[in-house]
Amino acid sequence: MAISADHIRQLHPFEIRILNTLERLMRTYAWVPLELIKKSTGLSESEVLFRLGRLMEMGMVRYDVVPYEGYSLIFAGYDTLALLSLTRKGTVSALGSQIGEGKESVVYEALGLGSVALKFHHVGQRSFQSVRLSREYLPEEGHCPWIFASRFSAEREHTALKKLYPRVRVPLPIDRNRNVVAMEFIHGVNMHRCHLQDPAFTMEAILTSVSLAYTLGVIHADLSEYNVMIDGDEVVLIDWPQWIAPDHPNAGEILARDVGNILRYFKRKYKIERDLATAIARVTG
Ligand SMILES: Nc1ncnc2c1ncn2[C@@H]1O[C@H](COP(=O)(O)OP(=O)(O)OP(=O)(O)O)[C@@H](O)[C@H]1O
Ligand SMILES: [Mg+2]
């Protein structure tokens, strides 16, 4: 379920207290028993049950009896805690509409100091296996791998943006909380939706960015026409959580895939031929 500004505005302080309590207890419990929620929040059983009922209606909390009876935060609840923190800090003043949705994230426009893109990382149970395989470092955290993996993914992306901006044209990183990255909103269009005026120039601009990123210690690792945005004359590379460093054991292969994806796209759509080995040599300088 998507996050809803209306739901968040309507949250009662007891409901926020319960969300925070669940987050904390989920370091130890995948499903938090009612007794513990009562004890930790200091609320009566009827109050807790009423508040949990509302949180479940809003899609922020789930109840199950298998493997044992208890309550669990789900993405919308975790997203809400992140959004509340970003709002309290002043990074965000209003949530706008959803602008993107991928396999492992939802992106919203928001207001802060100017317009902000909020990327909510949702690395779920289903895809957890592949995350573990593709990312070098992923220690166990309690019983809730999706919380850890989603926060880790946001941290990774925020780190890449900080390394790259402003030398490479990427969204300005503004803030991060939990699984959410706040960054500059790019007023552009994804490249796969554009008809480029000067495709050769754009392709060179992309390769220049890839090369600069490489010298700054970052290989994108998920580069394609979908993760390039065109804003007038500017070429902006987005979507960095999967990045790897050039000393990664598979760096050569992964960089070749990134560059290959771009060359293939320009060949298919614009009939521009560029030799892969030469392009890679240019990137690695
Ligand atoms: N800073 C931004 N400004 C404007 N739009 C953005 C911004 N970041 C992302 N978007 C939009 O949201 C879409 C999804 O974002 P992004 O590519 O970062 O994640 P994703 O593709 O969902 O990730 P995944 O690879 O996990 O599926 C983008 O294709 C783009 O249209
Ligand atoms: Mg993407």
Side-chain angles (χ1 to χ4, degrees):
M1 185 193 266
I3 18 197
S4 146
D6 282 344
H7 283 165
I8 293 173
R9 252 194 309 277
Q10 287 165 18
L11 282 174
H12 185 276
F14 291 167
E15 289 156 6
I16 297 174
R17 195 192 297 180
I18 290 174
L19 289 176
N20 275 304
T21 299
L22 283 174
E23 181 188 32
R24 190 160 38 78
L25 292 173
M26 282 173 70
R27 290 189 206 129
T28 329
Y29 296 88
W31 296 92
V32 184
L34 180 63
E35 278 310 310
L36 267 182
I37 304 174
K38 269 165 50 185
K39 207 162 99 204
S40 301
T41 56
L43 300 172
S44 70
E45 175 154 330
S46 61
E47 186 71 48
V48 170
L49 285 173
F50 174 69
R51 297 298 166 193
L52 282 169
R54 290 208 356 121
L55 290 167
M56 287 189 285
E57 262 167 42
M58 292 186 273
M60 298 183 185
V61 168
R62 194 158 59 197
Y63 166 77
D64 212 333
V65 289
V66 179
Y68 54 88
E69 195 175 341
Y71 296 84
S72 164
L73 271 187
I74 44 186
F75 274 125
Y78 194 52
D79 293 344
T80 297
L81 287 173
L83 197 57
L84 287 169
S85 296
L86 290 168
T87 307
R88 223 173 287 126
K89 275 180 75 181
T91 302
V92 174
S93 55
L95 185 69
S97 48
Q98 186 179 323
I99 49 178
E101 176 155 24
K103 297 177 301 297
E104 301 198 325
S105 78
V106 190
V107 182
Y108 278 75
E109 187 174 8
L111 284 180
L113 288 174
S115 74
V116 174
L118 292 179
K119 181 167 174 182
F120 295 80
H121 289 248
H122 289 175
V123 183
Q125 291 283 12
R126 203 159 28 91
S127 51
F128 189 64
Q129 216 52 35
S130 65
V131 173
R132 192 192 287 285
L133 292 176
S134 68
R135 295 177 194 179
E136 55 260 62
Y137 156 79
L138 204 64
E140 282 296 329
E141 182 172 277
H143 300 271
C144 223
W146 64 266
I147 287 189
F148 181 77
S150 302
R151 192 180 63 210
F152 182 68
S153 177
E155 265 168 28
R156 290 282 291 167
E157 178 153 43
H158 191 235
T159 302
L161 296 177
K162 281 190 296 186
K163 281 172 176 280
L164 297 170
Y165 191 90
R167 297 271 308 281
V168 182
R169 186 59 182 109
V170 297
L172 160 72
I174 297 171
D175 203 352
R176 181 194 64 86
N177 186 275
R178 295 181 175 82
N179 62 328
V180 181
V181 178
M183 62 185 128
E184 171 191 2
F185 181 86
I186 304 299
H187 294 274
V189 184
N190 293 63
M191 185 167 75
H192 70 282
R193 296 182 196 280
C194 294
H195 191 84
L196 297 169
Q197 298 301 313
D198 188 349
F201 171 85
T202 303
M203 187 175 80
E204 285 311 312
I206 295 169
L207 293 176
T208 301
S209 283
V210 172
S211 176
L212 270 171
Y214 186 83
T215 59
L216 294 170
V218 180
I219 298 171
H220 189 291
D222 190 25
L223 190 61
S224 72
E225 62 273 25
Y226 301 101
N227 289 331
V228 177
M229 293 189 71
I230 305 293
D231 182 10
D233 286 344
E234 275 195 318
V235 174
V236 189
L237 303 189
I238 61 165
D239 200 0
W240 292 86
Q242 325 241 16
W243 73 278
I244 55 158
D247 64 1
H248 185 282
N250 304 117
E253 211 178 292
I254 290 169
L255 179 68
R257 191 182 61 201
D258 276 0
V259 174
N261 287 342
I262 296 300
L263 297 195
R264 199 171 328 105
Y265 178 72
F266 279 90
K267 182 172 170 188
R268 193 178 69 229
K269 186 155 172 187
Y270 298 104
K271 313 286 177 252
I272 297 177
E273 298 267 358
R274 186 88 146 69
D275 175 55
L276 179 60
T278 320
I280 293 168
R282 190 190 142 206
V283 165
T284 54

